[in-house]
Amino acid sequence: MQDRWPDRRLVAWFLLLLCSPVAALLVLACGYYGVANGIGAGALALASLPLLLLLLPRALGFPNRKLLGLLVGISLLDLGYAAFRWIEVQPDPVVSLCVDGVCPAPAPLLSRLIREDETAYAGMALSYSLGLLSPEERAVIEPATRGVYEGLAQRRGGKPSINTLFLSSSAERVEELVWLPPGEGPVPALIFLHGFGGLLTPYVETLAKGELGQSYAIVAPALDMSGYWWEPAGRAVLRRTLEVLPEGVDRNRLWLVGLSNGAIGASHLGADPELGPLFRGVILIVGGDLLRPEEKFVRPVLLLPGRDDRRFPPGHLDAVAAQLGGAGVDLRYQPLEGDHFVLFTHPERVREAIESWLREHGGLPGPARGPE
């Protein structure tokens, strides 16, 4: 019979799909997603999508009750999972999603359907399998990341919040995470530029602790997964961020902070003739770049590399510091014990270095302390 299911052609196409390199990567990604989450509804729903797309054309061309029933079942599973995620997500009581400075703002659909912590763990597992993350780095960053997300879950009563990995911005619209300290009145702000991958929540949460978070707002725009802030699109997003700062932020007391790729971007944007003077200073964490001939810092710079950071070529950040010092920039070059993930592994050291430098430049009250 022509409508028997499954038939040999369907099995052959399915095996061909599984043998293709693209399918192999998808299976690997779904596998690591499942390992990171435990095999649950989320992993099953995601794994069912390729099967749904594979079977749908056949169901439309050759109606079959069994096949249609399977498709309906898969669709109900996916819709049920989506509804569960939509209901489960809770707004964070402390850190707000803002759009063009309006806080809080409705979350984009995709950012509510896949949990950020699950995506981060799956990304770490996949990066490790592809050799992008060393065993030593994974052993350090994974437990630190879990600690941050567990603390966030406790604050939200065990519920997840939006997934910032699925936020993005343009020259016309900025999606961002914003932390506002307790109290009233305009407050200074750290404008935080993320690194490769686009992760925001753990970094905003880490910076907001201690004295820094009690005195400063943190405005963290989401560019995209690349974090190429030094390109025209990144410059446009930073410009838009400054145009639509949330209410309560003092526009005359802004400090630019960049992490990793964000620090490379902050090197160029902080020395930009138009944007640089809008900030009181620039903080570069585990990253930085040599300036172009037309660029010049007119504000003080804090450069915080990790002593064991292997993500940059040897001596690169030393060369950046030498260039800035030779140009007469008010620079503090303070290497910290740790690697590229020092903000996760030694957050107190990073915050203490920033707080001390801010006191030195009038950004925090109290006597300034030099680097240890």
Side-chain angles (χ1 to χ4, degrees):
M1 295 177 61
Q2 294 295 324
D3 62 349
R4 285 193 310 169
W5 179 86
D7 65 14
R8 294 179 180 179
R9 288 173 299 172
L10 179 60
V11 173
W13 277 109
F14 186 70
L15 290 176
L16 181 62
L17 178 66
L18 287 179
C19 292
S20 70
V22 174
L25 288 176
L26 289 174
V27 170
L28 181 64
C30 290
Y32 273 110
Y33 185 92
V35 170
N37 292 284
I39 302 301
L44 291 174
L46 290 178
S48 70
L49 289 177
L51 182 61
L52 185 64
L53 295 175
L54 175 68
L55 297 180
L56 185 59
R58 178 172 176 79
L60 295 177
F62 302 97
N64 179 291
R65 291 183 179 181
K66 293 181 179 179
L67 183 55
L68 288 175
L70 177 63
L71 292 175
V72 169
I74 294 174
S75 300
L76 289 176
L77 171 65
D78 290 341
L79 290 174
Y81 168 67
F84 167 73
R85 286 299 193 210
W86 183 270
I87 296 171
E88 189 187 31
V89 167
Q90 298 293 326
D92 192 287
V94 177
V95 180
S96 298
L97 167 67
C98 304
V99 175
D100 279 346
V102 178
C103 308
L109 174 64
L110 191 58
S111 71
R112 297 177 66 106
L113 297 185
I114 305 175
R115 289 175 57 135
E116 181 176 298
D117 54 347
E118 296 175 347
T119 310
Y121 302 150
M124 279 186 272
L126 184 58
S127 297
Y128 175 74
S129 70
L130 297 176
L132 302 177
L133 194 67
S134 71
E136 296 79 12
E137 289 175 326
R138 187 183 183 189
V140 168
I141 189 174
E142 189 166 321
T145 306
R146 288 187 182 276
V148 172
Y149 281 119
E150 287 171 1
L152 290 171
Q154 291 178 0
R155 189 168 75 200
R156 302 180 188 126
K159 299 292 185 179
S161 189
I162 63 162
N163 190 338
T164 61
L165 289 163
F166 294 103
L167 301 180
S168 62
S169 303
S170 67
E172 294 78 31
R173 173 187 168 91
V174 171
E175 298 177 345
E176 58 197 358
L177 281 192
V178 175
W179 156 274
L180 291 172
E184 298 180 357
V187 295
L190 305 178
I191 309 299
F192 178 79
L193 308 184
H194 64 75
F196 179 82
L199 196 60
L200 286 177
T201 306
Y203 295 114
V204 172
E205 181 74 14
T206 300
L207 287 172
K209 292 182 178 178
E211 183 179 1
L212 196 61
Q214 294 298 310
S215 303
Y216 276 78
I218 300 173
V219 179
L223 177 58
D224 52 31
M225 296 290 285
S226 69
Y228 291 170
W229 292 94
W230 56 90
E231 293 188 346
R235 187 180 189 277
V237 169
L238 179 59
R239 179 199 292 273
R240 180 63 178 173
T241 301
L242 299 178
E243 291 173 350
V244 293
L245 286 169
E247 185 178 355
V249 170
D250 188 341
R251 296 172 177 267
N252 295 315
R253 291 187 291 167
L254 303 177
W255 305 75
L256 183 62
V257 182
L259 175 76
S260 189
N261 271 9
I264 296 175
S267 294
H268 297 292
L269 297 172
D272 182 88
E274 178 187 355
L275 297 177
L278 301 178
F279 299 99
R280 291 199 170 189
V282 179
I283 301 171
L284 309 176
I285 306 174
V286 294
D289 202 13
L290 295 169
L291 300 185
R292 306 181 183 110
E294 69 275 12
E295 295 173 334
K296 180 180 180 180
F297 275 106
V298 297
R299 303 299 190 203
V301 177
L302 173 63
L303 178 53
L304 298 174
R307 294 187 189 274
D308 302 319
D309 188 354
R310 300 179 182 179
R311 297 276 165 169
F312 284 87
H316 175 75
L317 294 183
D318 292 334
V320 171
Q323 184 196 52
L324 296 180
V329 175
D330 181 358
L331 171 71
R332 179 190 286 186
Y333 183 46
Q334 186 175 345
L336 301 175
E337 294 298 331
D339 59 12
H340 195 70
F341 304 103
V342 64
L343 185 56
F344 268 170
T345 58
H346 301 89
E348 299 84 2
R349 295 178 186 176
V350 177
R351 287 196 301 266
E352 287 172 2
I354 294 174
E355 290 166 1
S356 171
W357 182 78
L358 287 172
R359 287 192 185 92
E360 181 181 323
H361 294 90
L364 279 175
R369 297 186 302 171
E372 298 179 357

